[in-house]
Amino acid sequence: MKTFKKIIFFALGFIILFAASIYGYLAYLKPDLNATLSLPGLKSEVEVLYDNHGIPHIYAQNEEDLFYSFGYVHAQDRLFQMEVLRRLADGRLSELFGEPALESDKFFRTLSFREHAKLTIANTYKDPNSPFVKAAKAYIKGINQYIKNGKTPIEFTIAGIPKTEFTLEDMEIIVGYMGYTFVGAFGAEAVSTDIMNRLGPDYFKDILTAWPDSNYKIPVQRSASAAKNLAQMHNQLTKMNQDLAFPPFHGSNGWVISGKKTKSGKPILANDTHIAFSQPSVWYEAHLECPTFKTYGNFLAGTPVPALGHNDNGGWGLTMFENDDADFFRETLNPANPNQVKYKDTWEEIKIRKEIIKVKDKPDVVLKVKKTRHGYLLNGAFKNVETYKDPIALWWVYHQFPSQHLNVFYNICKSKNATDMSKAVAPLTSPGLNFMWADTKGNIAWWAAGKLPIRPKHVDPQVILDGSTGLDDPQGWYDFSLNPQILNPERGALYTANNQPDDMGNGLVPGYYVPANRAKRIEELIFTDKNDWTEEEVRKVINDVKSSSYPGMINSIFAGLNETELNAEGKKLKAILSKWDGTHELENIEPTVFYKLLYNIYQLSFLDELGPDVFAAFEHNFAMKRNTEFFLINQNSKWWDNIKTKDKETRKDIILKAIDLTNKDLVSQLGKDKTQWKWGKVHTIEHKHPLGIVPVIGKWFNVGPIPVNGGRETINNLDFHMDSTGTYKVVYGPALRRIIDFGNPEAAQSVNPTGQSGYFMSKRYDDQAEMFAKGGKRPELTSRKDIEKVLYGKMIFRP
């Protein structure tokens, strides 16, 4: 027995010692925010002060030292995020994760971000003395210095990732990937073309009414196989986007209120960018300061200048323009030579580039990337997509010009007024972005930036175009002066919510604009007689969870139904919804009923024609969202009839059946007590880390789930996919909520969805998660004395 006890005690001691060793090792890997380090090549001493939320405030004597130090600091907090994003954009995830990542790698190799980065560096970066080029090189130098001498993040060890240095090309491919996530055409045009070609114009115009009737009379490409190919590509992309290690952009809100309507007498800028949630959070905050450069901003991993920010003179926010900057062309192959496509009266050679994709534990995969005059052929990047019939080329504005992103955003940081800002954003090519501006002089402005193609008048860019005739090709580019924009509007405020910009005289810009729900609500709240707005009151608007559009939609659903046609449970559901004002708070039961009812109407109306794959994509389609209310009141729509039954169903038949099904679904899911059908039970947010899928340890890396207010197309836009489960797991929403009153820009306020640090054992990994979920805020500090009051750490970099 004594021997047995000794064995037990020895074993327990060993386990405790082993656990303590692991904990000690993991604790050692936390970023060191209190240190004095030497950086080779540094010209002068640099100070980095960390505030109580782990945000670095970097003070340098010159710009090259500033960006060199920032590269080191950024890598210390987010190196794994940088690495994953670089590999994702470069199509190199299969090296780590094997065959499951192969389809993603094929697609991103086909988009050829590396090739485009080479073009950009050869052109945009050709002047080595350009300030933004010096900044970019210094930043990359700082990242690489951390890679050489800094700690290795635990994710590298778990995933078996070797640390390798970064290059300017790596930085540019990251920019290219973020541009891809803005492209609405990948999803929308696949669904639109499938409906138009397979079901016809009557089905098309009932729910895709973004274009005038005359367009339906124009002959369009009727190739069934091309439409099927594009639809299959979209279905695979939808799944791929949900699994991406770095999230895509989805939209955003932004508005500026002029000083004549604020208590401070200066403009107030509000911005919340809508991005799919992940962990660590998309944005990294930093305050950079030297005699010639001072900016507080939000940075993407692997980039040296912020996408959002402000300086002492002014500040900017951004949303997605949602303009259509990508078209799909069906190419006609030469029957005698599959490496040629028809263009007008000749056969043109396809350019072919071989890519070698290394796959873990498998042989290398050879991918032939093919390119025509219209762009890269997509067929070979997807499974089960016909390669030799009706190949589809992606024509994308991004591929037409060397990227100007780093140059644009560097110059934005230096802007002192609206004139500087206008010059800074003008060179942007793709993706299209709405820039809002406010400054201490009192100016407010907005520009929809990006190169806008001149398309032939007959072209409907919602459907696949014909690459063989040349008649559908873009004919040139509009001058930036014709891009939608405004300076100091008479209304005293401006906003963008991914809605359609007005006509500048050259027609409405085609795009994938969202329904007017958020825009309508912003109009209701901002454009009033109120003239004493403060940051706190604007914060209430940015957190608003009421949709003033949904009550009208409910009226549309029940229009034409008599009380006698509803059974007892149907009457109860109607009573619940009829009193709803559109508010999505945790205790509300109405949104739980509404979205389930809407989904059941969708599936009973559309599933029979579309099939499960296209229906899954269609439910979240921009045009369907925009045209739902119109569809609901259209008694004569062909969609109401179930083509799989002998009877001809009517709108009333489908609505009544959906109401009955909704009650049965909710009782089965949440019980008979309707007071327990609370929104907080079904609407949750979880921030998932790329390693969150790893058994056992994965839960250490994820943050959540957390019940949240908000809903689909409320200002606090916490969106989700609707399906048969009745649960609404948030897929994207505000990646920050920042508000700046330029009466006192040092008192700017923001919040991050989780935290600043990328290391799961840091206190700053998730310290803002609950704050974010509850609509809270914390300061964006730029005053040194305020920073020193909440000092959390201090680093000194010396030559």
Side-chain angles (χ1 to χ4, degrees):
M1 182 59 69
K2 290 182 179 180
T3 303
F4 179 73
K5 288 181 178 180
K6 287 180 180 180
I7 294 173
I8 293 296
F9 284 130
F10 177 79
L12 287 174
F14 177 79
I15 291 171
I16 292 170
L17 182 61
F18 180 70
S21 299
I22 292 176
Y23 180 84
Y25 173 65
L26 294 175
Y28 159 76
L29 292 179
K30 285 195 296 185
D32 190 353
L33 307 186
N34 286 284
T36 299
L37 302 173
S38 295
L39 292 185
L42 199 68
K43 298 175 182 177
S44 303
E45 185 173 285
V46 176
E47 282 186 293
V48 183
L49 306 184
Y50 286 91
D51 66 26
N52 56 329
H53 288 288
I55 296 164
H57 304 263
I58 306 176
Y59 298 90
Q61 300 304 310
N62 59 79
E63 288 191 28
E64 287 186 65
D65 283 355
L66 182 70
F67 287 102
Y68 183 12
S69 302
F70 176 53
Y72 189 98
V73 165
H74 201 174
Q76 180 174 246
D77 273 326
R78 299 288 186 94
L79 183 60
F80 179 67
Q81 188 179 44
M82 294 178 184
E83 179 68 23
V84 169
L85 187 49
R86 167 172 67 167
R87 286 179 175 271
L88 175 59
D90 210 19
R92 292 178 51 227
L93 290 178
S94 297
E95 296 175 16
L96 305 177
F97 305 117
E99 277 191 315
L102 184 58
E103 298 310 312
S104 170
D105 283 354
K106 285 183 178 180
F107 177 65
F108 288 113
R109 290 286 180 101
T110 300
L111 291 186
S112 302
F113 293 135
R114 179 72 62 181
E115 295 299 306
H116 194 262
K118 294 175 181 176
L119 172 70
T120 294
I121 290 168
N123 290 272
T124 309
Y125 288 73
K126 60 186 177 183
D127 180 5
N129 295 315
S130 174
F132 92 90
V133 173
K134 288 183 176 180
K137 289 181 176 179
Y139 173 78
I140 294 295
K141 183 179 177 182
I143 294 175
N144 291 335
Q145 188 61 34
Y146 181 80
I147 289 173
K148 291 176 185 176
N149 298 322
K151 300 171 184 177
T152 301
I154 190 62
E155 293 96 333
F156 280 76
T157 304
I158 293 173
I161 303 174
K163 290 197 300 184
T164 57
E165 293 191 354
F166 274 68
T167 66
L168 288 175
E169 282 186 18
D170 293 330
M171 185 172 63
E172 280 296 330
I173 67 173
I174 289 172
V175 171
Y177 169 76
M178 298 314 297
Y180 153 73
T181 72
F182 280 72
V183 180
F186 282 104
E189 292 179 19
V191 173
S192 300
T193 301
D194 183 67
I195 291 173
M196 185 66 168
N197 287 0
R198 188 159 56 85
L199 300 173
D202 287 341
Y203 283 92
F204 184 91
K205 63 185 179 182
D206 273 0
I207 52 172
L208 298 165
T209 53
W211 299 93
D213 287 343
S214 59
N215 272 4
Y216 302 126
K217 300 175 183 176
I218 301 299
V220 297
Q221 182 48 251
R222 296 285 181 173
S223 168
S225 61
K228 181 181 178 182
N229 282 348
L230 191 56
Q232 287 179 329
M233 292 178 194
H234 171 61
N235 293 336
Q236 292 179 42
L237 278 175
T238 298
K239 178 63 168 64
M240 187 189 303
N241 284 341
Q242 292 174 357
D243 295 337
L244 288 179
F246 198 92
F249 283 67
H250 288 276
S252 301
N253 295 316
W255 61 86
V256 190
I257 303 173
S258 76
K260 64 184 180 182
K261 293 173 68 69
T262 68
K263 189 173 183 178
S264 71
K266 297 293 184 179
I268 296 177
L269 181 149
N271 190 202
D272 55 300
T273 55
H274 297 166
I275 306 175
F277 290 112
S278 69
Q279 183 60 4
S281 298
V282 169
W283 297 120
Y284 182 83
E285 291 184 48
H287 165 208
L288 311 183
E289 187 168 337
C290 74
T292 58
F293 192 98
K294 181 180 180 181
T295 297
Y296 186 108
N298 301 82
F299 299 75
L300 293 169
T303 61
V305 287
L308 320 166
H310 68 281
N311 55 39
D312 287 342
N313 300 291
W316 72 98
L318 61 81
T319 71
M320 288 174 64
F321 184 178
E322 301 282 8
N323 60 306
D324 185 358
D325 65 354
D327 291 328
F328 295 101
F329 284 84
R330 183 186 75 90
E331 304 286 23
T332 301
L333 289 177
N334 184 351
N337 184 350
N339 291 327
Q340 292 180 335
V341 294
K342 185 178 181 181
Y343 186 70
K344 297 182 178 179
D345 297 325
T346 63
W347 295 104
E348 293 187 341
E349 293 291 327
I350 298 174
K351 297 178 181 178
I352 301 175
R353 184 183 83 248
K354 286 187 178 181
E355 290 281 339
I356 307 298
I357 302 177
K358 295 187 177 299
V359 184
K360 185 178 180 180
D361 300 326
K362 296 285 184 179
D364 293 350
V365 173
V366 179
L367 175 68
K368 291 184 178 180
V369 178
K370 300 180 178 182
K371 186 180 182 182
T372 71
R373 68 165 48 237
H374 295 115
Y376 293 101
L377 298 181
L378 297 177
N379 299 50
F382 296 90
K383 294 187 297 185
N384 305 319
V385 173
E386 176 62 55
T387 306
Y388 297 107
K389 186 177 182 182
D390 296 330
I392 297 170
L394 168 65
W395 182 91
W396 183 15
V397 174
Y398 175 80
H399 284 141
Q400 310 306 311
F401 304 95
S403 173
Q404 296 289 333
H405 275 76
L406 269 297
N407 185 23
V408 164
F409 283 98
Y410 176 87
N411 289 329
I412 289 175
C413 291
K414 294 263 188 159
S415 295
K416 296 181 179 179
N417 51 52
T419 301
D420 290 347
M421 183 68 177
S422 181
K423 292 177 181 177
V425 302
L428 188 76
T429 58
S430 173
L433 297 173
N434 289 308
F435 287 97
M436 295 144 293
W437 172 263
D439 60 41
T440 55
K441 299 293 185 182
N443 296 300
I444 67 173
W446 157 68
W447 301 267
K451 279 285 190 181
L452 301 182
I454 302 172
R455 293 181 171 97
K457 291 183 178 179
H458 72 272
V459 163
D460 178 351
Q462 282 194 107
V463 296
I464 302 175
L465 306 177
D466 190 343
S468 66
T469 66
L471 300 176
D472 292 350
D473 292 7
Q475 299 173 326
W477 306 92
Y478 288 107
D479 186 78
F480 179 70
S481 63
L482 292 175
N483 280 40
Q485 54 193 278
I486 194 167
L487 174 66
N488 294 326
E490 292 183 8
R491 300 177 76 189
L494 57 87
Y495 71 92
T496 74
N498 313 123
N499 49 315
Q500 171 81 62
D502 208 345
D503 186 355
M504 287 286 290
N506 54 324
L508 295 175
V509 178
Y512 302 99
Y513 307 105
V514 303
N517 302 40
R518 286 183 280 126
K520 180 181 178 182
R521 184 62 176 160
I522 292 170
E523 286 262 1
E524 291 173 356
L525 297 176
I526 296 296
F527 292 95
T528 66
D529 294 333
K530 185 176 177 60
N531 59 9
D532 59 351
W533 283 97
T534 63
E535 186 277 333
E536 291 83 1
E537 291 168 324
V538 173
R539 177 81 41 191
K540 294 177 184 177
V541 177
I542 211 170
N543 283 315
D544 186 77
V545 294
K546 179 179 178 180
S547 170
S548 51
S549 298
Y550 286 161
M553 198 177 294
I554 290 167
N555 291 335
S556 298
I557 291 173
F558 287 99
L561 296 182
N562 296 322
E563 284 290 317
T564 56
E565 294 172 312
L566 295 170
N567 59 27
E569 294 303 322
K571 291 176 182 177
K572 292 177 182 178
L573 292 190
K574 181 182 178 182
I576 290 171
L577 292 175
S578 295
K579 65 180 181 181
W580 188 37
D581 66 354
T583 299
H584 295 63
E585 293 182 346
L586 297 181
E587 297 299 310
N588 284 117
I589 62 174
E590 298 94 343
T592 308
V593 177
F594 171 72
Y595 289 111
K596 171 54 74 171
L597 175 58
L598 189 62
Y599 174 77
N600 283 331
I601 293 173
Y602 280 178
Q603 68 160 337
L604 291 172
S605 305
F606 305 128
L607 183 59
D608 54 312
E609 286 95 352
L610 298 179
D613 290 339
V614 177
F615 173 72
F618 178 67
E619 179 276 318
H620 217 69
N621 181 273
F622 85 101
M624 185 61 238
K625 287 184 179 181
R626 191 161 61 184
N627 292 288
T628 295
E629 192 164 359
F630 170 79
F631 165 71
L632 289 172
I633 61 174
N634 184 6
Q635 298 271 4
N636 300 317
S637 174
K638 298 185 72 171
W639 291 99
W640 295 116
D641 179 41
N642 186 340
I643 62 174
K644 294 186 177 181
T645 66
K646 293 181 180 180
D647 298 328
K648 183 177 178 60
E649 287 80 8
T650 66
R651 174 188 175 278
K652 183 181 293 186
D653 294 332
I654 296 300
I655 297 290
L656 288 172
K657 187 174 181 179
I659 292 171
D660 288 341
L661 186 58
T662 296
N663 184 70
K664 291 176 183 176
D665 288 345
L666 290 173
V667 169
S668 175
Q669 179 188 356
L670 299 170
K672 293 182 179 181
D673 184 357
K674 292 179 173 57
T675 63
Q676 297 304 306
W677 296 356
K678 296 179 179 180
W679 187 231
K681 289 185 176 181
V682 296
H683 188 239
T684 60
I685 185 171
E686 184 174 17
H687 308 273
K688 296 184 177 180
H689 188 279
L691 296 185
I693 60 173
V694 177
V696 184
I697 65 171
K699 63 181 180 180
W700 297 348
F701 294 95
N702 295 339
V703 177
I706 304 169
V708 282
N709 294 325
R712 181 176 279 191
E713 293 302 327
T714 56
I715 294 178
N716 186 10
N717 186 22
L718 291 166
D719 207 340
F720 43 81
H721 293 286
M722 293 195 298
D723 57 29
S724 60
T725 65
T727 57
Y728 305 98
K729 296 179 180 179
V730 173
V731 293
Y732 71 82
L736 81 173
R737 300 189 190 103
R738 59 189 283 261
I739 300 173
I740 307 169
D741 184 339
F742 283 92
N744 183 13
E746 290 185 350
Q749 301 286 325
S750 187
V751 67
N752 183 315
T754 55
Q756 173 80 348
S757 177
Y759 190 55
F760 75 101
M761 287 191 68
S762 168
K763 292 180 180 179
R764 308 303 169 219
Y765 187 69
D766 60 358
D767 62 324
Q768 298 179 58
E770 289 289 340
M771 183 192 304
F772 175 85
K774 294 177 180 178
K777 62 180 182 178
R778 45 93 193 141
E780 292 185 340
L781 299 175
T782 54
S783 165
R784 180 157 184 149
K785 65 177 183 179
D786 291 337
I787 296 163
E788 289 176 341
K789 289 177 183 177
V790 293
L791 195 65
Y792 182 72
K794 183 176 181 178
M795 295 187 73
I796 302 294
F797 293 124
R798 290 176 176 159

Coordinates of all heavy atoms in Angstrom, one line a residue, residues 221 328-333 341-348 372-374 390-391 393 465-473:
Q221 N -26.6 36.3 -73.0 CA -26.0 35.0 -73.3 C -26.9 33.9 -72.6 O -27.0 33.8 -71.4 CB -24.6 34.9 -72.7 CG -23.9 33.6 -72.9 CD -23.9 33.2 -74.4 OE1 -24.6 32.2 -74.7 NE2 -23.3 34.0 -75.3
F328 N -18.4 38.8 -65.6 CA -18.1 37.4 -66.1 C -18.4 37.3 -67.5 O -19.5 37.6 -68.0 CB -18.9 36.4 -65.3 CG -18.6 36.4 -63.8 CD1 -19.4 37.0 -62.9 CD2 -17.4 35.7 -63.4 CE1 -19.1 37.0 -61.5 CE2 -17.1 35.7 -62.0 CZ -17.9 36.3 -61.1
F329 N -17.4 36.8 -68.3 CA -17.5 36.7 -69.7 C -17.4 35.2 -70.1 O -16.5 34.5 -69.7 CB -16.4 37.4 -70.5 CG -16.6 38.9 -70.5 CD1 -16.2 39.7 -69.5 CD2 -17.2 39.5 -71.6 CE1 -16.3 41.1 -69.5 CE2 -17.3 40.9 -71.7 CZ -16.9 41.7 -70.6
R330 N -18.4 34.7 -70.8 CA -18.4 33.4 -71.4 C -17.5 33.4 -72.6 O -17.8 34.1 -73.6 CB -19.8 32.8 -71.7 CG -19.7 31.4 -72.2 CD -21.1 30.9 -72.7 NE -21.4 31.5 -74.0 CZ -21.1 30.9 -75.2 NH1 -20.5 29.8 -75.2 NH2 -21.5 31.5 -76.3
E331 N -16.4 32.6 -72.6 CA -15.5 32.6 -73.8 C -15.9 31.4 -74.7 O -16.4 30.4 -74.2 CB -14.1 32.4 -73.3 CG -13.6 33.5 -72.3 CD -13.3 34.8 -73.0 OE1 -13.9 35.1 -74.1 OE2 -12.6 35.7 -72.5
T332 N -15.6 31.5 -75.9 CA -15.9 30.4 -76.9 C -14.6 29.8 -77.3 O -13.7 30.5 -77.9 CB -16.6 31.0 -78.1 OG1 -17.8 31.6 -77.7 CG2 -16.9 29.9 -79.1
L333 N -14.4 28.5 -77.0 CA -13.1 27.8 -77.3 C -13.1 27.4 -78.8 O -14.2 27.1 -79.4 CB -13.0 26.6 -76.5 CG -12.7 26.8 -75.0 CD1 -12.6 25.5 -74.3 CD2 -11.4 27.6 -74.8
V341 N -9.4 31.2 -77.9 CA -10.8 31.6 -77.7 C -11.1 32.6 -78.9 O -10.2 33.3 -79.4 CB -11.1 32.2 -76.4 CG1 -10.9 31.2 -75.2 CG2 -10.2 33.5 -76.1
K342 N -12.4 32.6 -79.2 CA -12.8 33.5 -80.3 C -13.0 34.9 -79.8 O -13.5 35.2 -78.7 CB -14.2 33.0 -80.8 CG -14.7 33.8 -82.0 CD -16.0 33.2 -82.5 CE -16.5 34.0 -83.7 NZ -17.8 33.5 -84.2
Y343 N -12.5 35.9 -80.5 CA -12.7 37.3 -80.3 C -12.9 38.0 -81.6 O -12.0 38.0 -82.5 CB -11.5 37.9 -79.6 CG -11.8 39.4 -79.1 CD1 -12.8 39.6 -78.1 CD2 -11.3 40.4 -79.8 CE1 -13.1 40.9 -77.8 CE2 -11.6 41.7 -79.4 CZ -12.5 42.0 -78.4 OH -12.8 43.3 -78.1
K344 N -14.2 38.4 -81.8 CA -14.6 39.0 -83.1 C -14.4 38.0 -84.2 O -14.9 36.9 -84.2 CB -13.9 40.3 -83.4 CG -14.3 41.4 -82.3 CD -13.6 42.7 -82.6 CE -14.1 43.8 -81.6 NZ -13.4 45.1 -81.8
D345 N -13.5 38.3 -85.1 CA -13.3 37.3 -86.3 C -12.0 36.5 -86.2 O -11.6 35.9 -87.2 CB -13.3 38.1 -87.6 CG -14.7 38.8 -87.8 OD1 -15.7 38.2 -87.4 OD2 -14.7 40.0 -88.3
T346 N -11.4 36.5 -85.0 CA -10.1 35.8 -85.0 C -10.1 34.9 -83.7 O -11.0 34.9 -82.9 CB -8.9 36.8 -84.8 OG1 -9.1 37.5 -83.6 CG2 -8.9 37.8 -86.0
W347 N -9.1 34.0 -83.7 CA -8.9 33.1 -82.6 C -7.7 33.6 -81.8 O -6.6 33.8 -82.4 CB -8.7 31.7 -83.0 CG -9.9 31.0 -83.6 CD1 -10.0 30.8 -85.0 CD2 -11.0 30.6 -83.0 NE1 -11.3 30.2 -85.2 CE2 -11.9 30.1 -84.0 CE3 -11.5 30.5 -81.7 CZ2 -13.1 29.5 -83.7 CZ3 -12.7 30.0 -81.4 CH2 -13.5 29.5 -82.4
E348 N -7.8 33.9 -80.6 CA -6.7 34.5 -79.8 C -6.2 33.4 -78.8 O -6.9 32.6 -78.3 CB -7.2 35.7 -78.9 CG -7.6 36.9 -79.8 CD -7.9 38.1 -79.0 OE1 -8.2 38.0 -77.7 OE2 -7.9 39.2 -79.5
T372 N -7.4 35.1 -70.7 CA -7.8 35.7 -71.9 C -7.8 37.2 -71.8 O -7.5 37.8 -70.7 CB -9.2 35.3 -72.4 OG1 -10.2 35.9 -71.5 CG2 -9.4 33.7 -72.3
R373 N -8.1 37.9 -72.9 CA -8.2 39.4 -72.8 C -9.2 39.9 -71.8 O -9.0 41.0 -71.3 CB -8.5 40.0 -74.2 CG -9.9 39.7 -74.6 CD -10.3 40.6 -75.8 NE -9.4 40.6 -76.9 CZ -8.8 41.8 -77.3 NH1 -9.2 42.9 -76.8 NH2 -8.0 41.8 -78.3
H374 N -10.1 39.0 -71.4 CA -11.1 39.4 -70.4 C -10.7 39.1 -69.0 O -11.4 39.7 -68.1 CB -12.5 38.8 -70.8 CG -13.1 39.2 -72.1 ND1 -13.2 38.3 -73.1 CD2 -13.5 40.4 -72.5 CE1 -13.7 39.0 -74.2 NE2 -13.9 40.3 -73.8
D390 N -17.7 26.3 -72.5 CA -18.2 27.6 -72.0 C -17.3 28.1 -70.8 O -17.8 28.3 -69.7 CB -19.6 27.5 -71.5 CG -20.6 27.3 -72.7 OD1 -20.2 27.7 -73.8 OD2 -21.6 26.7 -72.5
P391 N -16.0 28.2 -70.9 CA -15.2 28.7 -69.8 C -15.6 30.1 -69.5 O -15.9 30.9 -70.4 CB -13.7 28.6 -70.4 CG -13.9 28.6 -71.8 CD -15.2 27.9 -72.1
A393 N -14.5 33.8 -67.9 CA -13.4 34.7 -67.5 C -13.9 35.7 -66.6 O -15.0 36.3 -66.7 CB -12.8 35.3 -68.8
L465 N -21.8 37.8 -69.6 CA -21.6 38.5 -70.9 C -20.9 37.6 -71.9 O -20.3 36.6 -71.6 CB -20.9 39.8 -70.6 CG -21.4 40.7 -69.6 CD1 -20.5 41.9 -69.4 CD2 -22.8 41.1 -69.9
D466 N -21.0 38.0 -73.2 CA -20.5 37.3 -74.3 C -19.1 37.8 -74.6 O -18.9 39.0 -75.0 CB -21.4 37.4 -75.5 CG -21.0 36.4 -76.6 OD1 -19.8 35.9 -76.6 OD2 -21.8 36.2 -77.5
G467 N -18.1 37.0 -74.4 CA -16.7 37.4 -74.7 C -16.3 37.3 -76.1 O -15.2 37.8 -76.5
S468 N -17.1 36.7 -77.0 CA -16.7 36.4 -78.4 C -16.9 37.6 -79.3 O -16.2 37.7 -80.3 CB -17.4 35.2 -78.9 OG -18.8 35.4 -79.0
T469 N -17.8 38.4 -79.1 CA -18.2 39.5 -80.0 C -17.5 40.8 -79.8 O -17.3 41.6 -80.8 CB -19.7 39.8 -79.9 OG1 -20.0 40.3 -78.6 CG2 -20.5 38.5 -80.1
G470 N -17.0 41.0 -78.6 CA -16.4 42.3 -78.3 C -17.4 43.4 -78.0 O -17.1 44.5 -77.6
L471 N -18.7 43.1 -78.3 CA -19.8 44.1 -78.1 C -20.0 44.4 -76.6 O -20.6 45.5 -76.3 CB -21.0 43.7 -78.8 CG -20.9 43.5 -80.3 CD1 -22.3 42.9 -80.8 CD2 -20.6 44.8 -81.0
D472 N -19.7 43.4 -75.7 CA -20.0 43.6 -74.3 C -18.8 44.2 -73.5 O -18.9 44.4 -72.3 CB -20.4 42.3 -73.7 CG -21.7 41.8 -74.2 OD1 -22.4 42.5 -74.9 OD2 -22.1 40.6 -73.9
D473 N -17.7 44.4 -74.2 CA -16.5 44.8 -73.5 C -16.6 46.2 -72.9 O -17.3 47.1 -73.6 CB -15.3 44.8 -74.4 CG -14.9 43.4 -74.8 OD1 -15.6 42.4 -74.5 OD2 -13.9 43.2 -75.5

